[in-house]
Amino acid sequence: MRMLITLISAGVLTGVAAAGPQADDYTMGASRQVDPKEERGAELLAPFKRELKNALLEGMAAGPAAAIDACKLEAPAIVARLSTDGAIVGRSSHRLRNPANAGPEWVSPVIAAYLADKDGWQPRVIELDSGRTGYIEPIVLQPLCATCHGTDLKPEIAERLAELYPEDLGTGFEVGDLRGVFWVEF
Ligand code: HEC
């Protein structure tokens, strides 16, 4: 646990250090100084988030059961396609639907920290022992998501999910709950 806390605070410290040299740059106004690594992480995640959302919305247009199939096929394909040039993207959760989404080991301590403190639901930069950088953002459950991750699933959805994901832990969430995280390592 100690190492995990060190990793997390290292990320926080990086944010502070990066703000230092620009502290007298008034052109930024009163806004928070952004760590360049945080910016890079957000930039790397942007197409991933956009493509997942498009796949979901296209699937939903054909009905939720078809959308489950779309997520099952498309999500891993999008991860594979966008994990290039030394950057690896993914989604993870403390309650996984697909066990293959577990992610690298630095991810779960951050999820635990998010769960422990809702006020800390901001993106984080994590300096990894490998010298690489991790960037992570919380994913909050929205009403649309409850169709397949909520507490009260329609029978045809529950059945399709049980067929495809026999070990599904990704249900029972309420709107506003932490569903999981987007992460990228670069
Ligand atoms: C049509 C059903 C459906 C809807 C609606 C849906 N999801 Fe999912 N979700 C899935 C399926 C299926 C997977 C597993 C995909 C895979 O195999 O990687 C999944 C996986 C995930 C994961 C990856 C972690 C895990 O448990 O495997 C996250 C995070 C997630 N969904 C968040 C959301 C959010 C946030 C929304 C709303 C914006 C949402 N989902 C809407 C079906 C859905």
Side-chain angles (χ1 to χ4, degrees):
M1 193 61 198
R2 179 139 183 204
M3 182 199 77
L4 309 179
I5 291 166
T6 314
L7 284 177
I8 292 168
S9 36
V12 172
L13 287 177
T14 316
V16 172
Q22 297 162 9
D24 57 356
D25 178 358
Y26 293 108
T27 58
M28 295 291 285
S31 67
R32 189 169 68 94
Q33 298 286 341
V34 177
D35 177 352
K37 289 184 174 174
E38 185 176 328
E39 260 178 348
R40 181 71 187 130
E43 191 177 87
L44 287 165
L45 281 187
F48 181 44
K49 291 157 76 171
R50 194 170 53 234
E51 291 201 24
L52 282 171
K53 191 173 164 194
N54 288 344
L56 177 64
L57 293 179
E58 276 169 31
M60 289 297 272
I68 294 173
D69 294 4
C71 283
K72 162 117 179 115
L73 284 174
E74 297 262 336
I78 294 169
V79 166
R81 181 152 33 82
L82 295 181
S83 293
T84 52
D85 293 336
I88 310 168
V89 298
R91 290 185 301 173
S92 189
S93 179
H94 48 300
R95 276 155 51 191
L96 286 169
R97 169 152 292 163
N98 182 347
N101 289 329
E105 70 173 338
W106 59 269
V107 166
S108 53
V110 185
I111 298 178
Y114 283 148
L115 287 170
D117 177 19
K118 201 172 175 171
D119 292 337
W121 286 9
Q122 281 93 32
R124 297 191 189 192
V125 171
I126 312 287
E127 300 297 342
L128 306 176
D129 288 344
S130 60
R132 281 160 64 84
T133 301
Y135 170 81
I136 185 162
E137 288 180 9
I139 303 177
V140 180
L141 198 86
Q142 298 159 33
L144 169 73
C145 323
T147 316
C148 300
H149 295 294
T151 47
D152 192 15
L153 303 186
K154 287 195 179 144
E156 79 254 33
I157 296 193
E159 272 165 35
R160 189 71 188 131
L161 287 173
E163 269 169 44
L164 295 175
Y165 302 96
E167 296 163 64
D168 188 9
L169 299 176
T171 59
F173 292 91
E174 311 264 1
V175 172
D177 281 351
L178 185 77
R179 168 65 186 92
V181 292
F182 289 110
W183 61 265
V184 55
E185 197 178 306
F186 57 99

